[in-house]
Amino acid sequence: MDDEVPYLLLTPGPLTTSRPVKQAMLRDVSTWDRDYNDIVQDVRRRLVSLATASPAASDAYTAVLMQGSGTFAVEATLGSVVPRDGKLLILDNGAYGRRMVEIATRLGIAHVTIAQAEIAQANPADFERRLAADPGITHVAMVHCETTTGMMNPAAEIGRIVQRHGRIFILDAMSSFAGIPIDAEQWGADYLISSANKCVQGVPGFGFVIARRADLERTAGWARSLSLDLFDQWREMEFKGGKWRYTSPTHVLLALHQALEELANEGGIAARHARYQENHRVLVAGLERLGFRPLLPDAERSPIITAFHYPRDPSFSFDKMYEALKRRGFVIYPGKVSHADTFRVGTIGHVFPHDFQRLVGCFAEVVQEFGWQV
Ligand SMILES: *Cc1c(COP(=O)(O)O)cnc(C)c1O
């Protein structure tokens, strides 16, 4: 570990980024300069091609970048693409699904939910039933990888059901896009949302929405907010050659451009997915050997972030474990599940299987140091 990198972030974002990604920010650029706007357009094109399989599908989609953290992009989407007389069906099996419910409530968007336990995976049959029973539902919104638990929801299957019923599908793929292969067209996703500081491995500062052009074009004037107006933001970028409305996060954009170059050099999303899966495998195998138990069964877990139960030992302290691991060069994440005591370890970012081998060794030391029965 060098002085500049005292620890690796094993969190769901911001993530550990590469040195060249950080170095890309050592440049001040004008938002009114062609050089910068061309980079914006290149980033938009690359994002679309990462979300679609064929050039024809790429033409059907377009990218909108939106200042703020990922939630701003989710709020911009829900607040802009659901018409006044529309109605949302929202999946709630974790904190991020619940956040969409809260956004809909605050914005006064009519909505109904499929609410279930955080440890229960979404069931496509529930969506089929709800859509068949309620023709008033115009849009369906759900989280792909619920970062609360690391749960992978069957988004492709649900998306195809939504599409078959002729409704609009909004997918919060915040923590999965670029880490897990997604084909927006195949999955029936009309809006796919992610941000600069998750699996694309950039730094925090903006989110982005990959939108089916034909649907986005219908939404002019629907937004419930000025600064979070998705259509107006898109129109500016699309027709003014990569300009943003309002101050653009120039340094963050340069970092993301470098990060997308590194994603291509790594071998694209398939290669990144394989690395994350290996990170996850090394982590789970190692911690299980020490006696830790993952919250979710193997088939429902994502290679993004993994929740583990606290050890049963009454003397166990998350804070002590956290500090001891931090001294050894790793920052992990507290749990977020309501009914169980858990901690989480992220396996995304500029981190590699050998980092997780070292991490497992550090867990073993810490458990021994405090004498915990795991
Ligand atoms: C990170 C994340 C978000 C956005 O969170 P911000 O803190 O606003 O960046 C939304 N949904 C999911 C599933 C996430 O993992």
Side-chain angles (χ1 to χ4, degrees), residues 66-102:
M66 182 60 81
Q67 294 95 329
S69 81
T71 304
F72 293 60
V74 174
E75 186 155 351
T77 306
L78 298 186
S80 301
V81 310
V82 183
R84 301 289 154 157
D85 57 355
K87 183 173 171 185
L88 254 176
L89 172 63
I90 306 171
L91 169 68
D92 167 6
N93 68 341
Y96 294 95
R98 227 148 29 237
R99 191 174 294 175
M100 292 202 283
V101 175
E102 193 176 347

PDB file of all heavy atoms in Angstrom, residues 66-102:
ATOM      1  N   MET A  66     -26.742  12.917 -16.257  1.00  0.00           N
ATOM      2  CA  MET A  66     -27.438  13.812 -15.323  1.00  0.00           C
ATOM      3  C   MET A  66     -26.572  14.077 -14.090  1.00  0.00           C
ATOM      4  O   MET A  66     -26.142  13.138 -13.428  1.00  0.00           O
ATOM      5  CB  MET A  66     -28.767  13.147 -14.918  1.00  0.00           C
ATOM      6  CG  MET A  66     -29.642  13.962 -13.985  1.00  0.00           C
ATOM      7  SD  MET A  66     -30.156  15.572 -14.649  1.00  0.00           S
ATOM      8  CE  MET A  66     -31.535  15.123 -15.713  1.00  0.00           C
ATOM      9  N   GLN A  67     -26.318  15.362 -13.814  1.00  0.00           N
ATOM     10  CA  GLN A  67     -25.524  15.736 -12.648  1.00  0.00           C
ATOM     11  C   GLN A  67     -26.119  15.130 -11.364  1.00  0.00           C
ATOM     12  O   GLN A  67     -27.328  14.963 -11.265  1.00  0.00           O
ATOM     13  CB  GLN A  67     -25.493  17.265 -12.482  1.00  0.00           C
ATOM     14  CG  GLN A  67     -24.783  18.026 -13.583  1.00  0.00           C
ATOM     15  CD  GLN A  67     -25.729  18.531 -14.657  1.00  0.00           C
ATOM     16  OE1 GLN A  67     -26.746  17.904 -14.928  1.00  0.00           O
ATOM     17  NE2 GLN A  67     -25.382  19.649 -15.280  1.00  0.00           N
ATOM     18  N   GLY A  68     -25.249  14.888 -10.391  1.00  0.00           N
ATOM     19  CA  GLY A  68     -25.709  14.365  -9.101  1.00  0.00           C
ATOM     20  C   GLY A  68     -25.321  12.908  -8.921  1.00  0.00           C
ATOM     21  O   GLY A  68     -24.690  12.308  -9.787  1.00  0.00           O
ATOM     22  N   SER A  69     -25.708  12.330  -7.806  1.00  0.00           N
ATOM     23  CA  SER A  69     -25.423  10.910  -7.572  1.00  0.00           C
ATOM     24  C   SER A  69     -26.467  10.071  -8.314  1.00  0.00           C
ATOM     25  O   SER A  69     -27.364  10.609  -8.975  1.00  0.00           O
ATOM     26  CB  SER A  69     -25.437  10.605  -6.074  1.00  0.00           C
ATOM     27  OG  SER A  69     -26.761  10.432  -5.613  1.00  0.00           O
ATOM     28  N   GLY A  70     -26.371   8.773  -8.172  1.00  0.00           N
ATOM     29  CA  GLY A  70     -27.283   7.881  -8.891  1.00  0.00           C
ATOM     30  C   GLY A  70     -28.756   8.152  -8.611  1.00  0.00           C
ATOM     31  O   GLY A  70     -29.595   8.064  -9.508  1.00  0.00           O
ATOM     32  N   THR A  71     -29.063   8.494  -7.368  1.00  0.00           N
ATOM     33  CA  THR A  71     -30.461   8.739  -6.999  1.00  0.00           C
ATOM     34  C   THR A  71     -31.062   9.879  -7.822  1.00  0.00           C
ATOM     35  O   THR A  71     -32.247   9.862  -8.154  1.00  0.00           O
ATOM     36  CB  THR A  71     -30.560   9.054  -5.490  1.00  0.00           C
ATOM     37  OG1 THR A  71     -29.978   7.963  -4.772  1.00  0.00           O
ATOM     38  CG2 THR A  71     -31.998   9.230  -5.039  1.00  0.00           C
ATOM     39  N   PHE A  72     -30.227  10.878  -8.146  1.00  0.00           N
ATOM     40  CA  PHE A  72     -30.724  12.004  -8.947  1.00  0.00           C
ATOM     41  C   PHE A  72     -31.184  11.497 -10.324  1.00  0.00           C
ATOM     42  O   PHE A  72     -32.180  11.981 -10.872  1.00  0.00           O
ATOM     43  CB  PHE A  72     -29.640  13.075  -9.130  1.00  0.00           C
ATOM     44  CG  PHE A  72     -29.252  13.797  -7.859  1.00  0.00           C
ATOM     45  CD1 PHE A  72     -28.729  13.119  -6.774  1.00  0.00           C
ATOM     46  CD2 PHE A  72     -29.404  15.172  -7.764  1.00  0.00           C
ATOM     47  CE1 PHE A  72     -28.361  13.783  -5.609  1.00  0.00           C
ATOM     48  CE2 PHE A  72     -29.033  15.853  -6.607  1.00  0.00           C
ATOM     49  CZ  PHE A  72     -28.512  15.160  -5.525  1.00  0.00           C
ATOM     50  N   ALA A  73     -30.456  10.548 -10.868  1.00  0.00           N
ATOM     51  CA  ALA A  73     -30.816  10.004 -12.186  1.00  0.00           C
ATOM     52  C   ALA A  73     -32.095   9.167 -12.082  1.00  0.00           C
ATOM     53  O   ALA A  73     -32.932   9.183 -12.988  1.00  0.00           O
ATOM     54  CB  ALA A  73     -29.666   9.168 -12.755  1.00  0.00           C
ATOM     55  N   VAL A  74     -32.253   8.448 -10.963  1.00  0.00           N
ATOM     56  CA  VAL A  74     -33.488   7.681 -10.758  1.00  0.00           C
ATOM     57  C   VAL A  74     -34.667   8.642 -10.625  1.00  0.00           C
ATOM     58  O   VAL A  74     -35.713   8.478 -11.266  1.00  0.00           O
ATOM     59  CB  VAL A  74     -33.389   6.795  -9.485  1.00  0.00           C
ATOM     60  CG1 VAL A  74     -34.721   6.106  -9.200  1.00  0.00           C
ATOM     61  CG2 VAL A  74     -32.273   5.762  -9.628  1.00  0.00           C
ATOM     62  N   GLU A  75     -34.468   9.689  -9.809  1.00  0.00           N
ATOM     63  CA  GLU A  75     -35.552  10.660  -9.600  1.00  0.00           C
ATOM     64  C   GLU A  75     -35.873  11.398 -10.902  1.00  0.00           C
ATOM     65  O   GLU A  75     -37.047  11.655 -11.206  1.00  0.00           O
ATOM     66  CB  GLU A  75     -35.173  11.642  -8.488  1.00  0.00           C
ATOM     67  CG  GLU A  75     -36.316  12.575  -8.128  1.00  0.00           C
ATOM     68  CD  GLU A  75     -36.242  13.119  -6.698  1.00  0.00           C
ATOM     69  OE1 GLU A  75     -35.390  12.656  -5.913  1.00  0.00           O
ATOM     70  OE2 GLU A  75     -37.031  14.015  -6.373  1.00  0.00           O
ATOM     71  N   ALA A  76     -34.840  11.728 -11.673  1.00  0.00           N
ATOM     72  CA  ALA A  76     -35.070  12.396 -12.963  1.00  0.00           C
ATOM     73  C   ALA A  76     -35.909  11.505 -13.870  1.00  0.00           C
ATOM     74  O   ALA A  76     -36.836  11.964 -14.551  1.00  0.00           O
ATOM     75  CB  ALA A  76     -33.734  12.726 -13.632  1.00  0.00           C
ATOM     76  N   THR A  77     -35.614  10.214 -13.875  1.00  0.00           N
ATOM     77  CA  THR A  77     -36.334   9.294 -14.762  1.00  0.00           C
ATOM     78  C   THR A  77     -37.787   9.130 -14.319  1.00  0.00           C
ATOM     79  O   THR A  77     -38.713   9.349 -15.112  1.00  0.00           O
ATOM     80  CB  THR A  77     -35.628   7.928 -14.807  1.00  0.00           C
ATOM     81  OG1 THR A  77     -34.253   8.141 -15.155  1.00  0.00           O
ATOM     82  CG2 THR A  77     -36.269   7.010 -15.825  1.00  0.00           C
ATOM     83  N   LEU A  78     -37.982   8.764 -13.042  1.00  0.00           N
ATOM     84  CA  LEU A  78     -39.360   8.557 -12.578  1.00  0.00           C
ATOM     85  C   LEU A  78     -40.173   9.840 -12.732  1.00  0.00           C
ATOM     86  O   LEU A  78     -41.337   9.809 -13.138  1.00  0.00           O
ATOM     87  CB  LEU A  78     -39.379   8.097 -11.110  1.00  0.00           C
ATOM     88  CG  LEU A  78     -38.703   6.765 -10.779  1.00  0.00           C
ATOM     89  CD1 LEU A  78     -38.937   6.394  -9.318  1.00  0.00           C
ATOM     90  CD2 LEU A  78     -39.188   5.642 -11.684  1.00  0.00           C
ATOM     91  N   GLY A  79     -39.550  10.975 -12.438  1.00  0.00           N
ATOM     92  CA  GLY A  79     -40.263  12.246 -12.466  1.00  0.00           C
ATOM     93  C   GLY A  79     -40.506  12.782 -13.865  1.00  0.00           C
ATOM     94  O   GLY A  79     -41.285  13.716 -14.041  1.00  0.00           O
ATOM     95  N   SER A  80     -39.821  12.218 -14.866  1.00  0.00           N
ATOM     96  CA  SER A  80     -39.914  12.771 -16.225  1.00  0.00           C
ATOM     97  C   SER A  80     -40.641  11.877 -17.223  1.00  0.00           C
ATOM     98  O   SER A  80     -41.176  12.386 -18.209  1.00  0.00           O
ATOM     99  CB  SER A  80     -38.507  13.028 -16.790  1.00  0.00           C
ATOM    100  OG  SER A  80     -37.776  13.912 -15.985  1.00  0.00           O
ATOM    101  N   VAL A  81     -40.631  10.571 -17.013  1.00  0.00           N
ATOM    102  CA  VAL A  81     -41.139   9.711 -18.092  1.00  0.00           C
ATOM    103  C   VAL A  81     -42.518   9.120 -17.800  1.00  0.00           C
ATOM    104  O   VAL A  81     -43.110   8.486 -18.665  1.00  0.00           O
ATOM    105  CB  VAL A  81     -40.134   8.585 -18.467  1.00  0.00           C
ATOM    106  CG1 VAL A  81     -38.738   9.173 -18.697  1.00  0.00           C
ATOM    107  CG2 VAL A  81     -40.096   7.472 -17.438  1.00  0.00           C
ATOM    108  N   VAL A  82     -43.001   9.324 -16.553  1.00  0.00           N
ATOM    109  CA  VAL A  82     -44.351   8.850 -16.226  1.00  0.00           C
ATOM    110  C   VAL A  82     -45.298  10.040 -16.388  1.00  0.00           C
ATOM    111  O   VAL A  82     -45.130  11.050 -15.707  1.00  0.00           O
ATOM    112  CB  VAL A  82     -44.421   8.315 -14.777  1.00  0.00           C
ATOM    113  CG1 VAL A  82     -45.824   7.769 -14.484  1.00  0.00           C
ATOM    114  CG2 VAL A  82     -43.356   7.245 -14.532  1.00  0.00           C
ATOM    115  N   PRO A  83     -46.274   9.948 -17.303  1.00  0.00           N
ATOM    116  CA  PRO A  83     -47.173  11.097 -17.502  1.00  0.00           C
ATOM    117  C   PRO A  83     -48.074  11.326 -16.289  1.00  0.00           C
ATOM    118  O   PRO A  83     -48.158  10.472 -15.408  1.00  0.00           O
ATOM    119  CB  PRO A  83     -47.999  10.693 -18.738  1.00  0.00           C
ATOM    120  CG  PRO A  83     -47.937   9.212 -18.775  1.00  0.00           C
ATOM    121  CD  PRO A  83     -46.619   8.812 -18.177  1.00  0.00           C
ATOM    122  N   ARG A  84     -48.731  12.484 -16.247  1.00  0.00           N
ATOM    123  CA  ARG A  84     -49.581  12.851 -15.099  1.00  0.00           C
ATOM    124  C   ARG A  84     -50.649  11.797 -14.829  1.00  0.00           C
ATOM    125  O   ARG A  84     -51.017  11.555 -13.685  1.00  0.00           O
ATOM    126  CB  ARG A  84     -50.271  14.199 -15.338  1.00  0.00           C
ATOM    127  CG  ARG A  84     -49.309  15.362 -15.566  1.00  0.00           C
ATOM    128  CD  ARG A  84     -48.576  15.753 -14.305  1.00  0.00           C
ATOM    129  NE  ARG A  84     -47.295  16.377 -14.658  1.00  0.00           N
ATOM    130  CZ  ARG A  84     -46.618  17.202 -13.885  1.00  0.00           C
ATOM    131  NH1 ARG A  84     -47.077  17.520 -12.691  1.00  0.00           N
ATOM    132  NH2 ARG A  84     -45.460  17.692 -14.282  1.00  0.00           N
ATOM    133  N   ASP A  85     -51.163  11.179 -15.895  1.00  0.00           N
ATOM    134  CA  ASP A  85     -52.205  10.173 -15.691  1.00  0.00           C
ATOM    135  C   ASP A  85     -51.630   8.752 -15.696  1.00  0.00           C
ATOM    136  O   ASP A  85     -52.354   7.780 -15.831  1.00  0.00           O
ATOM    137  CB  ASP A  85     -53.303  10.315 -16.762  1.00  0.00           C
ATOM    138  CG  ASP A  85     -52.743  10.201 -18.181  1.00  0.00           C
ATOM    139  OD1 ASP A  85     -51.492  10.103 -18.325  1.00  0.00           O
ATOM    140  OD2 ASP A  85     -53.530  10.195 -19.140  1.00  0.00           O
ATOM    141  N   GLY A  86     -50.316   8.652 -15.540  1.00  0.00           N
ATOM    142  CA  GLY A  86     -49.676   7.340 -15.523  1.00  0.00           C
ATOM    143  C   GLY A  86     -49.703   6.710 -14.143  1.00  0.00           C
ATOM    144  O   GLY A  86     -50.083   7.346 -13.159  1.00  0.00           O
ATOM    145  N   LYS A  87     -49.299   5.452 -14.076  1.00  0.00           N
ATOM    146  CA  LYS A  87     -49.273   4.738 -12.796  1.00  0.00           C
ATOM    147  C   LYS A  87     -48.116   3.753 -12.813  1.00  0.00           C
ATOM    148  O   LYS A  87     -47.939   2.995 -13.766  1.00  0.00           O
ATOM    149  CB  LYS A  87     -50.600   4.003 -12.609  1.00  0.00           C
ATOM    150  CG  LYS A  87     -50.750   3.265 -11.296  1.00  0.00           C
ATOM    151  CD  LYS A  87     -52.197   2.752 -11.208  1.00  0.00           C
ATOM    152  CE  LYS A  87     -52.432   1.820 -10.062  1.00  0.00           C
ATOM    153  NZ  LYS A  87     -53.806   1.271 -10.120  1.00  0.00           N
ATOM    154  N   LEU A  88     -47.360   3.788 -11.716  1.00  0.00           N
ATOM    155  CA  LEU A  88     -46.147   2.982 -11.614  1.00  0.00           C
ATOM    156  C   LEU A  88     -46.390   1.739 -10.769  1.00  0.00           C
ATOM    157  O   LEU A  88     -47.048   1.820  -9.729  1.00  0.00           O
ATOM    158  CB  LEU A  88     -45.100   3.800 -10.860  1.00  0.00           C
ATOM    159  CG  LEU A  88     -43.898   4.438 -11.545  1.00  0.00           C
ATOM    160  CD1 LEU A  88     -43.126   5.242 -10.499  1.00  0.00           C
ATOM    161  CD2 LEU A  88     -43.003   3.408 -12.191  1.00  0.00           C
ATOM    162  N   LEU A  89     -45.807   0.634 -11.183  1.00  0.00           N
ATOM    163  CA  LEU A  89     -45.706  -0.553 -10.321  1.00  0.00           C
ATOM    164  C   LEU A  89     -44.240  -0.668  -9.924  1.00  0.00           C
ATOM    165  O   LEU A  89     -43.358  -0.717 -10.790  1.00  0.00           O
ATOM    166  CB  LEU A  89     -46.157  -1.808 -11.080  1.00  0.00           C
ATOM    167  CG  LEU A  89     -45.916  -3.152 -10.371  1.00  0.00           C
ATOM    168  CD1 LEU A  89     -46.713  -3.245  -9.063  1.00  0.00           C
ATOM    169  CD2 LEU A  89     -46.284  -4.327 -11.288  1.00  0.00           C
ATOM    170  N   ILE A  90     -43.964  -0.671  -8.612  1.00  0.00           N
ATOM    171  CA  ILE A  90     -42.572  -0.660  -8.136  1.00  0.00           C
ATOM    172  C   ILE A  90     -42.297  -1.899  -7.293  1.00  0.00           C
ATOM    173  O   ILE A  90     -43.069  -2.235  -6.389  1.00  0.00           O
ATOM    174  CB  ILE A  90     -42.286   0.599  -7.276  1.00  0.00           C
ATOM    175  CG1 ILE A  90     -42.667   1.878  -8.037  1.00  0.00           C
ATOM    176  CG2 ILE A  90     -40.814   0.640  -6.854  1.00  0.00           C
ATOM    177  CD1 ILE A  90     -42.617   3.146  -7.188  1.00  0.00           C
ATOM    178  N   LEU A  91     -41.184  -2.560  -7.572  1.00  0.00           N
ATOM    179  CA  LEU A  91     -40.740  -3.688  -6.740  1.00  0.00           C
ATOM    180  C   LEU A  91     -40.013  -3.141  -5.520  1.00  0.00           C
ATOM    181  O   LEU A  91     -39.118  -2.306  -5.641  1.00  0.00           O
ATOM    182  CB  LEU A  91     -39.775  -4.586  -7.536  1.00  0.00           C
ATOM    183  CG  LEU A  91     -39.032  -5.639  -6.703  1.00  0.00           C
ATOM    184  CD1 LEU A  91     -39.993  -6.713  -6.182  1.00  0.00           C
ATOM    185  CD2 LEU A  91     -37.901  -6.276  -7.500  1.00  0.00           C
ATOM    186  N   ASP A  92     -40.404  -3.625  -4.344  1.00  0.00           N
ATOM    187  CA  ASP A  92     -39.709  -3.230  -3.118  1.00  0.00           C
ATOM    188  C   ASP A  92     -39.219  -4.495  -2.413  1.00  0.00           C
ATOM    189  O   ASP A  92     -39.956  -5.134  -1.683  1.00  0.00           O
ATOM    190  CB  ASP A  92     -40.661  -2.415  -2.226  1.00  0.00           C
ATOM    191  CG  ASP A  92     -40.138  -2.227  -0.805  1.00  0.00           C
ATOM    192  OD1 ASP A  92     -38.983  -2.631  -0.523  1.00  0.00           O
ATOM    193  OD2 ASP A  92     -40.886  -1.699   0.032  1.00  0.00           O
ATOM    194  N   ASN A  93     -37.964  -4.875  -2.679  1.00  0.00           N
ATOM    195  CA  ASN A  93     -37.357  -5.931  -1.852  1.00  0.00           C
ATOM    196  C   ASN A  93     -35.978  -5.489  -1.375  1.00  0.00           C
ATOM    197  O   ASN A  93     -35.033  -6.256  -1.311  1.00  0.00           O
ATOM    198  CB  ASN A  93     -37.338  -7.313  -2.543  1.00  0.00           C
ATOM    199  CG  ASN A  93     -36.419  -7.400  -3.752  1.00  0.00           C
ATOM    200  OD1 ASN A  93     -36.026  -6.385  -4.327  1.00  0.00           O
ATOM    201  ND2 ASN A  93     -36.074  -8.606  -4.146  1.00  0.00           N
ATOM    202  N   GLY A  94     -35.908  -4.199  -1.015  1.00  0.00           N
ATOM    203  CA  GLY A  94     -34.665  -3.672  -0.470  1.00  0.00           C
ATOM    204  C   GLY A  94     -34.711  -2.160  -0.417  1.00  0.00           C
ATOM    205  O   GLY A  94     -35.676  -1.525  -0.846  1.00  0.00           O
ATOM    206  N   ALA A  95     -33.642  -1.581   0.109  1.00  0.00           N
ATOM    207  CA  ALA A  95     -33.606  -0.135   0.369  1.00  0.00           C
ATOM    208  C   ALA A  95     -33.728   0.687  -0.907  1.00  0.00           C
ATOM    209  O   ALA A  95     -34.303   1.778  -0.903  1.00  0.00           O
ATOM    210  CB  ALA A  95     -32.319   0.217   1.095  1.00  0.00           C
ATOM    211  N   TYR A  96     -33.186   0.173  -2.025  1.00  0.00           N
ATOM    212  CA  TYR A  96     -33.193   0.973  -3.258  1.00  0.00           C
ATOM    213  C   TYR A  96     -34.535   0.907  -3.971  1.00  0.00           C
ATOM    214  O   TYR A  96     -34.961   1.880  -4.580  1.00  0.00           O
ATOM    215  CB  TYR A  96     -32.015   0.582  -4.148  1.00  0.00           C
ATOM    216  CG  TYR A  96     -30.712   0.945  -3.481  1.00  0.00           C
ATOM    217  CD1 TYR A  96     -29.997   0.009  -2.735  1.00  0.00           C
ATOM    218  CD2 TYR A  96     -30.247   2.251  -3.511  1.00  0.00           C
ATOM    219  CE1 TYR A  96     -28.838   0.360  -2.061  1.00  0.00           C
ATOM    220  CE2 TYR A  96     -29.094   2.613  -2.851  1.00  0.00           C
ATOM    221  CZ  TYR A  96     -28.388   1.670  -2.122  1.00  0.00           C
ATOM    222  OH  TYR A  96     -27.251   2.023  -1.450  1.00  0.00           O
ATOM    223  N   GLY A  97     -35.227  -0.216  -3.857  1.00  0.00           N
ATOM    224  CA  GLY A  97     -36.595  -0.295  -4.344  1.00  0.00           C
ATOM    225  C   GLY A  97     -37.480   0.642  -3.527  1.00  0.00           C
ATOM    226  O   GLY A  97     -38.305   1.372  -4.062  1.00  0.00           O
ATOM    227  N   ARG A  98     -37.250   0.621  -2.192  1.00  0.00           N
ATOM    228  CA  ARG A  98     -38.024   1.482  -1.292  1.00  0.00           C
ATOM    229  C   ARG A  98     -37.777   2.953  -1.614  1.00  0.00           C
ATOM    230  O   ARG A  98     -38.667   3.786  -1.519  1.00  0.00           O
ATOM    231  CB  ARG A  98     -37.640   1.186   0.156  1.00  0.00           C
ATOM    232  CG  ARG A  98     -38.836   1.016   1.022  1.00  0.00           C
ATOM    233  CD  ARG A  98     -38.706   0.068   2.172  1.00  0.00           C
ATOM    234  NE  ARG A  98     -37.413  -0.106   2.750  1.00  0.00           N
ATOM    235  CZ  ARG A  98     -36.800  -1.289   2.847  1.00  0.00           C
ATOM    236  NH1 ARG A  98     -37.380  -2.367   2.365  1.00  0.00           N
ATOM    237  NH2 ARG A  98     -35.616  -1.394   3.407  1.00  0.00           N
ATOM    238  N   ARG A  99     -36.548   3.284  -2.008  1.00  0.00           N
ATOM    239  CA  ARG A  99     -36.245   4.670  -2.354  1.00  0.00           C
ATOM    240  C   ARG A  99     -37.070   5.124  -3.565  1.00  0.00           C
ATOM    241  O   ARG A  99     -37.513   6.261  -3.635  1.00  0.00           O
ATOM    242  CB  ARG A  99     -34.741   4.818  -2.643  1.00  0.00           C
ATOM    243  CG  ARG A  99     -34.306   6.266  -2.752  1.00  0.00           C
ATOM    244  CD  ARG A  99     -32.794   6.395  -2.885  1.00  0.00           C
ATOM    245  NE  ARG A  99     -32.098   5.956  -1.687  1.00  0.00           N
ATOM    246  CZ  ARG A  99     -30.760   5.878  -1.571  1.00  0.00           C
ATOM    247  NH1 ARG A  99     -29.990   6.208  -2.592  1.00  0.00           N
ATOM    248  NH2 ARG A  99     -30.199   5.463  -0.456  1.00  0.00           N
ATOM    249  N   MET A 100     -37.303   4.219  -4.519  1.00  0.00           N
ATOM    250  CA  MET A 100     -38.130   4.583  -5.674  1.00  0.00           C
ATOM    251  C   MET A 100     -39.578   4.822  -5.241  1.00  0.00           C
ATOM    252  O   MET A 100     -40.249   5.700  -5.776  1.00  0.00           O
ATOM    253  CB  MET A 100     -38.051   3.506  -6.761  1.00  0.00           C
ATOM    254  CG  MET A 100     -36.666   3.440  -7.406  1.00  0.00           C
ATOM    255  SD  MET A 100     -36.644   2.684  -9.045  1.00  0.00           S
ATOM    256  CE  MET A 100     -36.765   0.964  -8.634  1.00  0.00           C
ATOM    257  N   VAL A 101     -40.037   4.030  -4.264  1.00  0.00           N
ATOM    258  CA  VAL A 101     -41.385   4.242  -3.732  1.00  0.00           C
ATOM    259  C   VAL A 101     -41.456   5.633  -3.097  1.00  0.00           C
ATOM    260  O   VAL A 101     -42.418   6.384  -3.289  1.00  0.00           O
ATOM    261  CB  VAL A 101     -41.759   3.151  -2.691  1.00  0.00           C
ATOM    262  CG1 VAL A 101     -43.114   3.444  -2.061  1.00  0.00           C
ATOM    263  CG2 VAL A 101     -41.746   1.765  -3.340  1.00  0.00           C
ATOM    264  N   GLU A 102     -40.402   6.006  -2.369  1.00  0.00           N
ATOM    265  CA  GLU A 102     -40.390   7.314  -1.715  1.00  0.00           C
ATOM    266  C   GLU A 102     -40.364   8.446  -2.747  1.00  0.00           C
ATOM    267  O   GLU A 102     -41.044   9.467  -2.589  1.00  0.00           O
ATOM    268  CB  GLU A 102     -39.191   7.422  -0.767  1.00  0.00           C
ATOM    269  CG  GLU A 102     -39.325   8.616   0.143  1.00  0.00           C
ATOM    270  CD  GLU A 102     -38.198   8.716   1.168  1.00  0.00           C
ATOM    271  OE1 GLU A 102     -37.444   7.742   1.343  1.00  0.00           O
ATOM    272  OE2 GLU A 102     -38.082   9.798   1.770  1.00  0.00           O
TER     273      GLU A 102
END
